[in-house]
Amino acid sequence: MNIISIILIMSGLLLLGSSRLGVAIKVVAIQGLVLGILPIVKASHELTAGVWFLCISIIAAKGIILPILLNTNLKSSGITREIEPFISYGVSIIAGIIMLILAGWMTVRLNLNRTMTPPIVLSAAFFMVLSGLFLMITRKKALTQILGFLAMENGVYAVGIGLSLEFPFMVELGILLDVVVGVVIMGHLLLHMDKEMAHTDTDRLTELSDNIRLSGEIKVVSSNEVNIGSDREVLK
Amino acid sequence: MKLLHWLLPISAFIIAPIIPGIINRVKAFFAGRRGVPILQLYIDIWKLLRKGSTYSHTTSFVFRIAPSVIAAALILCTFFIPWGSISSPVSFSGDLIFIAYLLDVARYFTVIAAMDTGSAFEGMGASREVQFGFLAEPAFLMGILVLVMVTKNTSTSGIMQHLSTSVWADSGILLILVATAWYFLLLTENSRIPVDDPNTHLELTMIHEVMVLDYSGPDFAYILYGSALKLWIFSALIVNILLPVAALPIWLQPIVFIAGTAGVAILVGITESIIARLRLVTVPKIIVSASALCFIALIFRIIG
Amino acid sequence: MIRILFPTVIAAMAGIIAFFIRSNTWRRALLVTTASVHLVFSFYLGAIKPIKAGWIGTDSLSVIFLVTVSLMFFAAAVYSIFYLTADRHHEPENASRYLSSTPESIYTGCMLLLLSTMTLAVTARHFALQWVSIEATTLASAPLIYFHRSSRSLEAAWKYLIICSVGIAIALMGLFFLRMTSPKVSEFTVDAFVAAGSSLDKKWLSAAFIIILVGYGTKMGLAPLHTWLPDAHSEAPAPVSALLSGALLNCAFLGIMRVHQVANAGGIGVMASELLVMFGIFSIGLATVFILRQPDFKRLLAYSSVENMGIIALGVGVGGGAVFGGLFHAVNHSLVKVALFLAAGNILARYGTRESSKVRGLASIMPTTAFIWTMGLIAITGTPPFGTFMSKFTILKTMTAKGMWSLTAFFMAFLVIIFAAMSYIVLKMVFTPPPPEMPEKPERTLSWIMPVILLVTALAAGIYMPEIVRNHLEQASALFGGGLK
């Protein structure tokens, strides 16, 4: 348990520090694999067939299928391999340390006494949620947003494990299915974004806002020009 | 027994210059060369000590006293390092923090002497040294904190004596985290490869070498010897944490300890051989990661 | 159990089949047939006694939302026929950008899956099941927003998917916390937790309520978390915008209400209500700011949705009679907003622009749509005798009765400003001389029939409320210790 939570924390930090998309995808895949193992390791009672099935599907979905899918997306689109952060990696890791302290503080505040899992799992989970959110906010590429979402979702799932909660088997499977379908749709949109706009930078998704002049003009100018020219063009 | 304790720093003074020799030999082995003799640093120091020193007109007394202060601070440091359960001759509560400060004194004088020369080149090196030192400090202090919390002891010797097998079974993973972090620290502080390249001269990317360019003769010998001691201090700390030396019978401990130190040196050599020097902008990331490891250990200790 | 699951299953099956049907005619027939079967069945579920079957079930609250969802979907489905055929035959010359689209099978399939998931979200009584279905609604609706394949709709779909997914993932964490309030209760259902009542751990419960409010609030479009809403609602095709606004937001709100029920039972009702009031009034205020001088008429409607969600949250938060008002307002808002979004679709298809300053002379060019547009404006701003007036009035009355004077003053001021701003924009679109080059073209019945029916219903709701509706609203309010009696 302890080793797994440390792996999870380190994977979060690695995500914050890695500068390559390929590496980041691998790190998220490792998170998925480890999360799949976690319920087996935890096992306070006999393992039912349901738990086994769930673990295997988590490993298959989060650890194998989704990373492969994201890798394919990465390769088939014209995305450069570099993660482009708004905040430098060093500062990201410092922020990561602060988030780690925050996660620890949250765990202490929650004052758990009824759970059977060691509280460090919960800290790791909170840290993963925070680092996933941080990743989504501070990275430019759409793909890193997907990765951040996955990391965050992994974290939320780990919170459930850290609190020793078990939902009925069907519901757990439903949660997993939602995440998988969500990421598949996100990946699909990503490819379209790459085709349609020739970039996947989320900071350039500024066509929609309340003060840009709308519709009529946009047909004449190409999207690039819109980005440069009409950002400040407020309705007169 | 009293004599035995005093033997520790004295043998350290004798052994220390071998460590850079081992590193060089490992690197040479990986590069397919025969390499310089292991005892090369002794020869260098001996040669330099016999020479005279030249001083630039622009320097002041700071530049002249710096090498002695550096060497003195590091020699003083060595007195606090225990070998396994054989405690160091000088030891008091909180002396690990004292070691941290002594290392800082050495750094401070290196930097201020570099500034004293008035050379822009050396100033640049000084600025980098201070930046990385600043980033590395939390890793050292947090590591100390973790060790103190794990062993419930506040002196270096006490901490190392209490790293028994039961502590290892209980919180071995924390010790591994701290040791890993301190290994990063060793690479940073001793200007080894992923951070700085000890072999380059006259290159814009170096950090430590550039600061000591103006020294010659005995002054330079002091600095080289100081560097060797610094390497020794860090390796000794890592070996103490990582190997359960304290659990062995007393006669075996010095042998294991020296072997461990040599092992660290070999590890450094391997690291230098297989990793390329990082771009300067990515160096802070590595150093901050070392602090992060210590923070993980700390949080783990508090919560888990 | 079967009876409650039936509408969910039939919609899901129809949705899956729709992906494989080749013929457009059959697919459209399937859409409308499923919608009508669903509608009839929802009315049936509303008429019979509540059924509780463990994980799923109905009570007055879910019946209100179920019928609303079903009715809105029926309207959107009928309108879709017009919308999809307009796509083929009546393509306006300058609107090609807006009307080149994804395969129709994906549209129909996703619509039906959206219906299915929304139905499940409304009827679920197991918290985690409800979470799964609410997240699934996001997934089913994201491809719909990207129906018109342009960079703008892509951006909207991306923002919608990412922001809502994150919000809902946070809500899941809240659900974990909620589960922690009482590990001893075996079933994680509303009923079990409400029954457990005061034995729930208050600290966990407060944390859970806050986190879930933030999570589902994102999906519902409460103010600081609403950022995706104007983009998604303005870029989606008209029937989808209508559904998002009229049905989906309510589903997310139902998620919050279920937790609110538990919070009331667990003794932190006051804090929960205050939070709802805070979010509510902030949403109204923020929407007011953006409605002022809003150049895009679909965004105008979207911000109006933010405002109305704020009003609903405010109503439920204020408590007492206002809960009745809030729930009634949810129904009224859906009726009117769907009519408005569908009318906006007509205008967009005709003028090929979403800029209200470019739309002139609506009254002479599209008289029926102009009528809907104007009536819709009157209704959405809460003018008597529409139902929205009744609901807002009920909320205001309770607020004054409770002596929340400053809050009432703010609420009134925002409503007045919104009324003025929306009237200015809408009336200028309707009563101006038409642009000269606009040729006369008859409006098709399918394009206006559903909005008119919805508006008439909204009007009727303001004048006369049938006993069964009143009973349901009363019983639903009673779940929060409110109601008019």
Side-chain angles (χ1 to χ4, degrees):
Chain A
M1 276 314 245
N2 293 346
I3 295 175
I4 285 185
S5 31
I6 283 189
I7 293 176
L8 288 177
I9 293 177
M10 297 233 282
S11 69
L13 282 171
L14 208 58
L15 266 184
L16 293 177
S18 69
S19 56
R20 295 272 142 180
L21 276 173
V23 175
I25 291 175
K26 278 192 198 96
V27 172
V28 171
I30 290 170
Q31 276 189 353
L33 290 176
V34 170
L35 271 187
I37 299 167
L38 204 49
I40 303 176
V41 179
K42 190 183 78 174
S44 49
H45 47 81
E46 283 292 295
L47 284 174
T48 55
V51 174
W52 277 110
F53 184 75
L54 190 69
C55 290
I56 291 169
S57 23
I58 289 174
I59 291 174
K62 286 185 174 170
I64 300 167
I65 299 174
L66 290 183
I68 289 178
L69 182 96
L70 291 178
N71 246 324
T72 334
N73 280 350
L74 175 66
K75 290 204 178 104
S76 57
S77 63
I79 306 171
T80 48
R81 303 296 155 80
E82 187 85 15
I83 294 176
E84 291 161 37
F86 295 119
I87 293 178
S88 77
Y89 303 113
V91 179
S92 295
I93 294 176
I94 293 177
I97 294 175
I98 293 169
M99 288 186 281
L100 189 61
I101 294 169
L102 201 65
W105 176 76
M106 277 157 77
T107 317
V108 174
R109 271 296 299 272
L110 282 178
N111 190 14
L112 297 155
N113 41 17
R114 286 181 299 212
T115 51
M116 294 150 297
T117 33
I120 187 74
V121 180
L122 201 58
S123 302
F126 284 139
F127 172 68
M128 280 162 75
V129 172
L130 291 173
S131 64
L133 278 175
F134 185 82
L135 210 65
M136 295 184 79
I137 296 166
T138 57
R139 301 293 189 264
K140 215 180 256 184
K141 293 252 164 72
L143 190 63
T144 32
Q145 286 199 334
I146 302 181
L147 288 174
F149 170 69
L150 257 178
M152 187 196 139
E153 170 65 41
N154 285 343
V156 171
Y157 183 79
V159 169
I161 296 174
L163 293 172
S164 303
L165 293 177
E166 269 157 30
F167 283 159
F169 171 64
M170 287 302 287
V171 175
E172 294 258 14
L173 218 56
I175 294 174
L176 182 65
L177 189 71
D178 271 350
V179 174
V180 172
V181 176
V183 173
V184 169
I185 296 180
M186 284 176 199
H188 194 71
L189 286 182
L190 181 82
L191 283 184
H192 276 278
M193 207 187 284
D194 184 55
K195 236 188 301 180
E196 182 92 29
M197 314 181 187
H199 72 80
T200 59
D201 292 348
T202 46
D203 64 321
R204 280 164 69 188
L205 291 180
T206 51
E207 256 187 275
L208 302 177
S209 90
D210 282 297
N211 49 9
I212 293 178
R213 254 196 186 261
L214 295 160
S215 47
E217 276 79 353
I218 280 176
K219 276 193 298 177
V220 240
V221 282
S222 79
S223 64
N224 274 340
E225 284 163 329
V226 170
N227 275 319
I228 303 158
S230 63
D231 264 9
R232 294 276 167 268
E233 199 180 328
V234 181
L235 184 77
K236 279 134 207 157
Chain B
M1 278 311 271
K2 202 74 181 156
L3 188 67
L4 179 66
H5 298 305
W6 284 102
L7 272 176
L8 296 184
I10 292 164
S11 17
F13 296 147
I14 298 165
I15 299 169
I18 298 182
I19 294 182
I22 296 176
I23 295 176
N24 277 336
R25 271 316 258 281
V26 174
K27 281 168 76 177
F29 171 77
F30 271 87
R33 292 181 279 113
R34 229 180 71 238
V36 293
I38 283 193
L39 302 181
Q40 181 66 40
L41 192 57
Y42 294 100
I43 303 167
D44 286 349
I45 290 172
W46 178 242
K47 180 185 72 187
L48 287 167
L49 280 175
R50 283 179 303 153
K51 288 189 170 179
S53 291
T54 7
Y55 296 107
S56 151
H57 294 301
T58 58
T59 56
S60 66
F61 75 100
V62 175
F63 185 77
R64 300 186 187 211
I65 64 165
S68 329
V69 176
I70 294 164
L74 291 164
I75 287 170
L76 196 53
C77 255
T78 321
F79 283 97
F80 290 94
I81 307 293
W83 296 20
S85 68
I86 310 173
S87 58
S88 55
V90 192
S91 164
F92 52 86
S93 175
D95 55 3
L96 257 173
I97 294 179
F98 188 61
I99 293 179
Y101 274 91
L102 282 177
L103 291 172
D104 276 351
V105 166
R107 192 202 327 276
Y108 176 74
F109 272 91
T110 322
V111 165
I112 207 163
M115 304 279 276
D116 193 40
T117 61
S119 147
F121 201 34
E122 298 201 17
M124 180 197 71
S127 129
R128 286 173 184 168
E129 170 83 14
V130 171
Q131 185 202 354
F132 296 155
F134 156 77
L135 289 172
E137 204 75 342
F140 196 66
L141 291 177
M142 286 302 137
I144 293 172
L145 195 51
V146 173
L147 290 180
V148 169
M149 288 176 88
V150 166
T151 58
K152 308 210 166 37
N153 233 297
T154 48
S155 72
T156 320
S157 303
I159 288 170
M160 301 314 173
Q161 271 164 8
H162 281 83
L163 288 178
S164 57
T165 34
S166 66
V167 170
W168 258 94
D170 188 40
S171 42
I173 189 145
L174 306 188
L175 298 181
I176 291 175
L177 282 174
V178 172
T180 320
W182 282 11
Y183 182 68
F184 280 118
L185 214 59
L186 178 150
L187 297 175
T188 315
E189 293 275 346
N190 295 290
S191 40
R192 307 313 303 191
I193 254 187
V195 177
D196 185 9
D197 193 343
N199 291 333
T200 52
H201 284 285
L202 294 177
E203 204 197 320
L204 280 171
T205 53
M206 58 191 183
I207 303 165
H208 183 77
E209 283 304 314
V210 76
M211 288 193 298
V212 296
L213 269 181
D214 277 8
Y215 282 112
S216 55
D219 284 342
F220 194 49
Y222 288 163
I223 284 176
L224 282 182
Y225 189 61
S227 308
L229 275 182
K230 200 174 180 185
L231 200 51
W232 164 267
I233 291 163
F234 275 98
S235 325
L237 284 176
I238 291 171
V239 170
N240 269 325
I241 300 169
L242 213 49
L243 293 180
V245 185
L248 297 169
I250 197 112
W251 57 270
L252 197 58
Q253 287 190 17
I255 303 166
V256 173
F257 188 78
I258 290 172
T261 320
V264 172
I266 293 170
L267 196 61
V268 173
I270 295 173
T271 314
E272 294 214 339
S273 306
I274 58 177
I275 294 180
R277 210 188 63 79
L278 292 170
R279 284 183 300 150
L280 266 181
V281 284
T282 51
V283 168
K285 187 168 107 180
I286 296 294
I287 307 174
V288 174
S289 304
S291 310
L293 290 181
C294 284
F295 267 101
I296 294 177
L298 190 64
I299 296 244
F300 199 100
R301 175 66 207 166
I302 294 171
I303 290 160
Chain C
M1 170 102 178
I2 307 255
R3 275 183 296 178
I4 301 173
L5 217 49
F6 177 73
T8 309
V9 172
I10 194 172
M13 274 165 48
I16 293 164
I17 294 170
F19 281 112
F20 299 104
I21 296 182
R22 287 257 177 89
S23 144
N24 278 339
T25 326
W26 280 107
R27 208 181 308 106
R28 287 166 196 161
L30 180 71
L31 180 65
V32 176
T33 318
T34 316
S36 22
V37 170
H38 193 276
L39 184 62
V40 169
F41 213 83
S42 303
F43 278 133
Y44 165 71
L45 282 178
I48 61 171
K49 275 191 189 141
I51 310 168
K52 301 256 170 81
W55 286 14
I56 51 173
T58 52
D59 57 5
S60 293
L61 189 59
S62 48
V63 162
I64 294 169
F65 282 95
L66 178 64
V67 173
T68 315
V69 164
S70 194
L71 192 59
M72 298 314 136
F73 187 82
F74 182 71
V78 174
Y79 185 84
S80 293
I81 308 290
F82 158 74
Y83 198 80
L84 294 170
T85 45
D87 196 358
R88 301 283 138 128
H89 308 299
H90 293 264
E91 198 161 309
E93 316 75 50
N94 58 346
S96 62
R97 184 177 181 89
Y98 293 98
L99 297 174
S100 63
S101 46
T102 348
E104 208 183 303
S105 60
I106 293 183
Y107 174 83
T108 316
C110 283
M111 282 284 270
L112 286 166
L113 287 181
L114 178 61
L115 175 66
S116 166
T117 48
M118 284 196 297
T119 314
L120 189 60
V122 169
T123 50
R125 300 192 75 77
H126 189 285
F127 281 109
L129 185 67
Q130 191 177 34
W131 183 89
V132 170
S133 43
I134 290 182
E135 166 73 12
T137 57
T138 314
L139 305 178
S141 49
L144 291 173
I145 293 176
Y146 184 45
F147 180 63
H148 297 314
R149 301 208 152 162
S150 71
S151 59
R152 296 169 60 85
S153 63
L154 184 56
E155 180 183 335
W158 179 261
K159 283 180 180 166
Y160 170 66
L161 192 56
I162 290 284
I163 295 175
C164 283
S165 297
V166 169
I168 294 171
I170 288 173
L172 180 61
M173 198 159 80
L175 289 185
F176 287 141
F177 280 33
L178 186 61
R179 189 75 184 89
M180 288 302 284
T181 54
S182 167
K184 288 192 191 71
V185 180
S186 59
E187 283 288 307
F188 191 29
T189 55
V190 185
D191 310 276
F193 269 67
V194 170
S198 51
S199 73
L200 301 176
D201 185 334
K202 286 201 177 55
K203 213 170 77 177
W204 281 105
L205 190 55
S206 324
F209 184 79
I210 294 170
I211 297 176
I212 293 175
L213 180 61
V214 169
Y216 284 156
T218 310
K219 177 91 184 180
M220 182 192 170
L222 286 178
L225 314 159
H226 71 287
T227 44
W228 60 274
L229 194 143
D231 293 350
H233 287 214
S234 63
E235 292 304 323
V240 177
S241 312
L243 269 186
L244 287 180
S245 206
L248 198 49
L249 299 185
N250 288 346
C251 291
F253 188 54
L254 187 65
I256 297 176
M257 301 246 272
R258 290 296 182 204
V259 188
H260 191 208
Q261 247 178 293
V262 178
N264 275 337
I268 60 151
V270 177
M271 185 209 80
S273 302
E274 276 171 3
L275 275 173
L276 278 175
V277 169
M278 224 170 66
F279 270 102
I281 198 78
F282 188 64
S283 304
I284 301 171
L286 194 121
T288 311
V289 174
F290 281 97
I291 282 176
L292 278 172
R293 298 174 64 89
Q294 176 60 249
D296 178 334
F297 60 81
K298 275 189 97 176
R299 285 181 90 85
L300 180 77
L301 296 182
Y303 277 113
S304 161
S305 290
V306 175
E307 177 223 339
N308 281 292
M309 283 301 126
I311 294 177
I312 297 166
L314 181 71
V316 174
V318 166
V323 181
F324 185 94
L327 293 175
F328 189 37
H329 192 72
V331 178
N332 281 320
H333 165 249
S334 295
L335 290 169
V336 178
K337 189 50 70 62
V338 170
L340 275 171
F341 263 119
L342 297 183
N346 292 343
I347 301 172
L348 179 59
R350 188 64 199 275
Y351 285 80
T353 176
R354 274 196 309 260
E355 218 174 313
S356 43
S357 60
K358 293 250 171 75
V359 179
R360 287 289 174 258
L362 208 56
S364 51
I365 290 177
M366 310 174 81
T368 325
T369 305
F371 175 72
I372 300 166
W373 196 236
T374 323
M375 282 299 122
L377 160 82
I378 293 173
I380 202 74
T381 47
T383 320
F386 281 98
T388 40
F389 168 74
M390 292 304 294
S391 48
K392 281 180 187 172
F393 186 69
T394 316
I395 296 174
L396 272 172
K397 207 170 69 181
T398 318
M399 281 166 77
T400 45
K402 289 199 168 188
M404 309 161 120
W405 292 109
S406 52
L407 204 62
T408 315
F410 272 114
F411 185 33
M412 290 283 277
F414 289 144
L415 287 184
V416 170
I417 296 170
I418 288 173
F419 179 73
M422 282 186 81
S423 315
Y424 176 75
I425 294 167
V426 168
L427 296 181
K428 232 181 166 182
M429 288 165 72
V430 177
F431 300 111
T432 32
E437 69 274 21
M438 211 65 154
E440 189 128 342
K441 217 191 284 182
E443 293 177 78
R444 292 171 63 201
T445 319
L446 275 177
S447 74
W448 55 260
I449 181 77
M450 285 326 289
V452 167
I453 291 175
L454 293 176
L455 278 178
V456 168
T457 319
L459 185 66
I463 297 166
Y464 167 71
M465 193 187 287
E467 198 57 31
I468 185 161
V469 178
R470 176 176 292 277
N471 277 343
H472 274 311
L473 283 171
E474 279 291 351
Q475 279 164 19
S477 319
L479 295 175
F480 304 90
L484 288 178
K485 279 168 199 157

